[in-house]
Amino acid sequence: MTRVVIIGGGPGGYESALVAAQLGAEVVVVDSDGLGGSAVLTDCVPSKTLIATAELMTDLATAPELGIGLVDHTAPASQVEVDLARVNARVLRLAAEQSSDIGRRLEREGVRVVRGRGHLDGPERVVVTGADGETETIEADAVLVATGAAPRTLPTAEPDGERILTWEQVYDLTETPEKLIVVGSGVTGAEFASAYMALGIEVVLVSSRDRVLPGEDADAAEVLEQVLTRRGMAVMNKSRMESVTREGDVVTVRLTDGRSVSGSHCLLALGSIPNTAGLGLESAGIAVDEGGFVKVDRVSRTTARGVYAAGDCTGVLMLASVAAMQGRIAMWHFLGDAVAPLDLKKVSSNVFTAPEIATVGWSQQAVDAGEIVAEAVRLPLAGNPRAKMQGVRDGFVKLFCRPGTGIVVGGVVVGPRASELIHPISIAVAESLTADQLANAFTVYPSNSGSVAEAARRLHHPKV
Ligand SMILES: Cc1cc2nc3c(=O)[nH]c(=O)nc-3n(C[C@H](O)[C@H](O)[C@H](O)COP(=O)(O)OP(=O)(O)OC[C@H]3O[C@@H](n4cnc5c(N)ncnc54)[C@H](O)[C@@H]3O)c2cc1C
């Protein structure tokens, strides 16, 4: 029987374990911190559970416009209070339940799970050190490294777990911060800033760049920044953090230009570093880049024969969905099943702010840079009948298609539940559908997805 050993039990690890078991391999998953990994226990699942509460609060803010008056006039909708301790308890409970579900599924599929830290001793042997210091050596025909990444911190901005926090520590808060300073305006910073503001907390967002979400579609980022500032967030652009210090109950963020901002709490969202130190990668001949990320090709092979890597430790695209796909691809490849290399142009992703920003395929930046020739259309959501009924004013649908063939190559949706609305565009990109095909599929009337079809209709070239 072919023996597969997987180091790391996050989506990169457990999804590949399921594929390997399905293909008849003998599978061991070595995990140190709990199945589901950071995705389930500290990052993706907890943040989206918190955001579910924030979404309800955002919806409540439109209640008066939609004709809702609260019976108890002492508690109008704008004064509905969030009990952060209860929210956080729910977040942690759901995360733990999901982790247990994954454990049961792996057990059902016959995967052996070993608790402890794994490291490679050459390319065909993994040594596991348990919490009690005991070690176990496991021989492998193939190894998958899926050890994930951890929040980046700086010596001048050390988290204390109480008021200066990483995103892994926020769920221990039992009291609501009075004023939260979020440092970093990438996806993680923007999501937390948006969520905590919706929960009623005063938020300052410190961004080193000239706008929030520098890596996303510029039009989308502009809409988001307008909405966030209109709702009361202080967005400090071109503001590079130098240090974060705490004195008693006050935290102060100092900027490199001499300014400073103080609050009750600070959340550091400074990106991630790969968990690749001390893994014995060198002993196995596995190359890493200058940032410590494992180098892989599009079927997840490392530079060592029989050793694959998946997920955040490769830095390819730090998403749970991509980690899982890289892991599956590795197993399909090693165990001889049909496999297509990873295609990042087909990955759909979402920023869970209010409004949400979902994207797939080629971007506006790539079109502007001449990397691909594409026609673009942008349709505001405000004209959509369903959006009007729901009191939605901000957002748009943007589509990119090839000028000659009309094949849809990318899209952006900004609006409530954009993460759901992107799916038809994602199918079009994956299956190389034309704008006409996307336009001609029925949509429900009235629906926000009607705007996706309408945008596609605008890309039609009459054959006269
Ligand atoms: C705040 C936040 C929100 C996010 N939201 C989303 C989202 O909405 N959608 C999305 O797609 N992605 C999201 N992501 C990204 C997503 O969480 C990661 O891409 C995903 O966790 C990567 O999975 P992974 O399997 O590579 O690693 P991880 O999930 O980090 O799992 C790796 C596991 O390996 C374990 N491990 C490490 N070293 C060892 C060792 N030596 N031995 C044994 N075990 C080890 C770790 O403890 C961990 O349990 C978010 C990230 C953050 C920070």
Side-chain angles (χ1 to χ4, degrees), residues 18-338:
L18 293 174
V19 168
Q22 187 185 46
L23 295 177
E26 185 183 294
V27 190
V28 177
V29 172
V30 179
D31 187 68
S32 52
D33 295 273
L35 290 171
S38 311
V40 169
L41 293 168
T42 55
D43 298 359
C44 178
V45 170
S47 66
K48 265 77 260 185
T49 311
L50 176 83
I51 287 168
T53 302
E55 277 171 1
L56 187 56
M57 291 295 286
T58 305
D59 288 348
L60 274 177
T62 60
E65 184 189 337
L66 271 65
I68 297 172
L70 291 190
V71 178
D72 177 359
H73 292 285
T74 59
S78 60
Q79 288 171 26
V80 172
E81 245 181 25
V82 171
D83 181 343
L84 197 60
R86 275 176 61 195
V87 173
N88 284 343
R90 176 172 185 268
V91 165
L92 295 174
R93 195 183 67 243
L94 285 185
E97 282 170 9
Q98 177 124 354
S99 175
S100 305
D101 281 354
I102 293 166
R104 278 191 292 273
R105 174 82 200 281
L106 290 178
E107 201 184 317
R108 265 202 317 274
E109 304 301 330
V111 173
R112 182 177 164 230
V113 176
V114 177
R115 281 299 298 264
R117 293 202 79 73
H119 71 266
L120 284 146
D121 177 18
E124 292 176 343
R125 196 172 299 123
V126 173
V127 179
V128 188
T129 309
D132 53 6
E134 292 282 307
T135 60
E136 179 184 348
T137 300
I138 311 171
E139 305 291 332
D141 298 304
V143 174
L144 177 85
V145 178
T147 49
R152 190 168 78 92
T153 57
L154 296 173
T156 55
E158 288 283 4
D160 66 2
E162 289 179 357
R163 285 178 181 269
I164 304 174
L165 306 160
T166 68
W167 61 74
E168 296 186 339
Q169 297 168 330
V170 292
Y171 308 107
D172 294 329
L173 286 175
T174 50
E175 283 176 13
T176 307
E178 274 164 38
K179 182 176 174 185
L180 174 68
I181 306 166
V182 177
V183 181
S185 68
V187 175
T188 299
E191 286 188 350
F192 277 109
S194 171
Y196 281 119
M197 185 174 64
L199 299 182
I201 295 167
E202 182 183 350
V203 174
V204 179
L205 180 59
V206 176
S207 165
S208 61
R209 310 289 282 273
D210 51 5
R211 62 169 170 86
V212 300
L213 294 176
E216 299 291 321
D217 181 271
D219 294 330
E222 191 185 327
V223 170
L224 179 67
E225 193 165 325
Q226 279 167 4
V227 174
L228 294 179
T229 46
R230 193 172 71 218
R231 291 187 184 144
M233 187 182 298
V235 179
M236 299 175 68
N237 286 331
K238 293 184 185 153
S239 301
R240 183 168 287 278
M241 179 268 283
E242 187 175 74
S243 67
V244 183
T245 50
R246 173 182 171 186
E247 246 177 76
D249 292 349
V250 178
V251 293
T252 301
V253 176
R254 289 200 170 72
L255 307 178
T256 48
D257 62 11
R259 289 177 298 154
S260 66
V261 54
S262 295
S264 64
H265 293 75
C266 174
L267 168 59
L268 300 168
L270 307 172
S272 302
I273 51 162
N275 295 326
T276 51
L279 274 182
L281 298 179
E282 316 74 31
S283 77
I286 300 166
V288 295
D289 69 13
E290 58 287 356
F293 293 99
V294 181
K295 287 188 183 175
V296 284
D297 65 11
R298 288 173 61 210
V299 289
S300 312
R301 280 180 297 197
T302 67
T303 49
R305 199 178 161 78
V307 182
Y308 293 75
D312 284 4
C313 68
T314 69
V316 168
L317 184 54
M318 289 188 163
L319 287 175
S321 52
V322 173
M325 189 53 81
Q326 283 180 292
R328 291 185 202 112
I329 286 174
M331 293 301 111
W332 288 326
H333 184 269
F334 180 72
L335 295 165
D337 205 352

